[in-house]
Amino acid sequence: MANKKPAPAKPGKAGAKRAAAKPKPDKALKPGAQPAPKLSDVRGHIDGIDLQIQALIAERARWAQQVGKAKGPLKAAVDYYRPERESQVLRQVLDRNDGPLSDEVLLRLFREIMSACLAQQEPLKVGFLGPEGTFSQQALHKHFGHSAKGLPLASIEEVFQEVEAGNADFGVVPVENSGQGTIQSTLDMFLTSPLKICGEVELSVHQHLMSRTGRLEDIERVYSHPMSLAQCKAWLRQNLPKAEKIPVASNAEAARRARTSDDAAAIAGESAGHVYGLKVVAGPIQDRQDNTTRFLVLGRELFSASGHDRTSLLVYVRDQPGALYNVLSPFARHGVSMNRIESRPSHTGRWQYAFFIDVSGHVADAGVASALSELGEYAADVKVLGSYPVALL
């Protein structure tokens, strides 16, 4: 009979504990890879960075105070605000950005820092088409930051009037939408107003249907600004064909009305819903997903060039053959790109028209200046509405 090999001895309790305690190799780690850091170490590192950020923001605020001292005794916050300088700083932010945060996020962060630093002197007073919760208010915050003091006003005309009177330092008004075109009431104000355009804002507009109950089947009438109703007409035709569509002065006004009845709804931005306590029924419901509105920033003076500018002109043409061609040809000869042209009744006589023209560059740029000097031969009058930094995002 062959000899059997003795079975290996089983480890005792102590041996079993030692075997269990022995660390097993991490199968998830690849050769040469580093183990994941401890969460406490990561948080400690973030705390250290936050400390540095806060110290640097405080230092920036102190240097912003020195700007006021360097300029000498000034009367108001508007004297410290330089849109061309802000545009240059923010473009540098974009040029430096290598991620992981998006350009939009970084611009918003730096805009708020700059807004807070400027408000140390005194917050800017900025009029906008109110009430609270409108897209105009969103445009104001995007351009001036939340440290500016917004003044909600009842109409576009009132925004112009308050800036002209000096009750507001600046104003923000809509001028055109990517799908519905120009807001004519804004253009018409420039026919008589002495104000200048000193900035522009492009805002992605997302329309939401909101009501008190949040139920689509309850809705019998829909309030909104006429342009917002137009932006959502296909959705409304498909989903609320029998509901009454009621135009009002602003989307925020629509939200304010809708909050009083269970069978009413408003088309507005989500911010208006938050302000007036409405529930979202559906959204975004605009017919075009790239729906964008352009806003103008109104001021009382022209500012210096930023290096990435646009100039807006109001041109009254002479009543003669080839008048419009003669007005536009100097820009082509001097290599100035035209971005937009639109005619409006000039209010100077029957069948008399003025042309609103946007061109690339600043009025102080050589090409623009040369083209403008030639316009006098062909135009009855030329009014520079503003030269201002092109919207960043």
Side-chain angles (χ1 to χ4, degrees):
M1 185 173 180
N3 294 331
K4 294 183 178 179
K5 293 182 178 179
K10 294 182 179 180
K13 290 184 178 180
K17 288 182 179 179
R18 283 194 298 272
K22 185 178 180 181
K24 296 180 180 180
D26 190 347
K27 295 180 180 179
L29 285 178
K30 296 180 180 179
Q34 296 295 323
K38 292 182 179 179
L39 182 58
S40 59
D41 293 341
V42 174
R43 287 174 172 169
H45 194 67
I46 290 174
D47 289 344
I49 294 173
D50 288 345
L51 187 65
Q52 296 176 57
I53 291 174
Q54 187 171 349
L56 288 172
I57 290 175
E59 184 178 358
R60 190 192 194 283
R62 285 190 288 270
W63 278 104
Q65 292 174 336
Q66 296 301 313
V67 171
K69 294 179 181 179
K71 287 185 175 182
L74 298 173
K75 296 181 180 179
V78 68
D79 297 313
Y80 297 90
Y81 178 70
R82 307 302 302 183
E84 74 279 16
R85 168 62 180 161
E86 286 204 356
S87 176
Q88 291 166 352
V89 171
L90 293 176
R91 286 190 180 277
Q92 291 173 5
V93 170
L94 292 182
D95 292 341
R96 292 192 299 262
N97 186 26
D98 292 324
L101 296 180
S102 68
D103 286 348
E104 185 176 4
V105 169
L106 276 183
L107 282 181
R108 186 166 65 249
L109 288 172
F110 272 82
R111 174 71 77 187
E112 292 298 339
I113 292 172
M114 295 164 71
S115 176
C117 289
L118 179 64
Q120 292 180 106
Q121 313 295 337
E122 179 189 356
L124 288 172
K125 299 185 292 292
V126 184
F128 68 94
L129 178 61
E132 298 283 336
T134 60
F135 289 116
S136 292
Q137 186 181 37
Q138 291 183 36
L140 182 161
H141 289 152
K142 182 176 181 180
H143 189 80
F144 288 100
H146 286 73
S147 294
K149 181 181 179 181
L151 306 175
L153 301 168
S155 66
I156 289 173
E157 181 180 10
E158 193 172 343
V159 175
F160 274 80
Q161 291 171 347
E162 290 299 289
V163 178
E164 287 179 28
N167 298 324
D169 299 318
F170 296 95
V172 175
V173 293
V175 68
E176 63 177 324
N177 177 264
S178 58
Q180 298 301 314
T182 302
I183 291 105
Q184 304 294 354
S185 56
T186 297
L187 289 189
D188 287 345
M189 288 301 300
F190 285 110
L191 294 171
T192 56
S193 174
L195 295 183
K196 301 298 182 184
I197 304 169
C198 53
E200 65 175 6
V201 189
E202 291 186 359
L203 187 72
S204 295
V205 173
H206 301 293
Q207 305 282 11
H208 290 74
L209 183 73
M210 297 174 291
S211 72
R212 195 162 74 173
T213 68
R215 294 193 299 266
L216 185 67
E217 59 270 22
D218 294 340
I219 299 171
E220 296 181 4
R221 61 187 185 278
V222 179
Y223 297 102
S224 194
H225 188 276
M227 184 163 284
S228 295
L229 289 172
Q231 291 169 15
C232 305
K233 60 184 178 182
W235 191 95
L236 290 170
R237 185 168 55 247
Q238 181 177 354
N239 295 276
L240 288 170
K242 296 182 180 180
E244 183 182 7
K245 286 76 175 178
I246 305 173
V248 293
S250 71
N251 289 342
E253 174 62 22
R256 188 161 62 181
R257 292 195 185 192
R259 70 178 176 177
T260 63
S261 178
D262 287 346
D263 63 357
I267 294 175
E270 281 189 286
S271 60
H274 297 321
V275 171
Y276 299 102
L278 299 179
K279 297 177 182 178
V280 174
V281 179
I285 64 169
Q286 69 273 5
D287 299 332
R288 291 171 55 108
Q289 295 308 306
D290 61 347
N291 190 29
T292 303
T293 297
R294 178 175 171 238
F295 296 81
L296 298 178
V297 179
L298 307 174
R300 292 185 289 272
E301 63 176 296
L302 284 171
F303 290 92
S304 302
S306 72
H308 297 83
D309 301 293
R310 192 190 322 277
T311 294
S312 293
L313 306 167
L314 177 58
V315 180
Y316 297 87
V317 298
R318 301 183 189 279
D319 186 11
Q320 60 186 23
L324 182 58
Y325 171 81
N326 291 332
V327 165
L328 299 181
S329 58
F331 295 108
R333 284 197 297 273
H334 292 283
V336 178
S337 297
M338 187 176 66
N339 310 123
R340 177 171 166 269
I341 181 170
E342 181 152 351
S343 65
R344 291 293 296 153
S346 65
H347 300 174
T348 57
R350 189 169 55 182
W351 314 124
Q352 298 294 314
Y353 290 87
F355 288 88
F356 290 88
I357 302 173
D358 287 347
V359 298
S360 295
H362 193 275
V363 69
D365 294 346
V368 177
S370 298
L372 289 177
S373 66
E374 294 182 15
L375 285 188
E377 300 179 31
Y378 311 109
D381 189 26
V382 179
K383 181 180 178 182
V384 177
L385 300 179
S387 285
Y388 48 92
V390 174
L392 289 164
L393 287 177

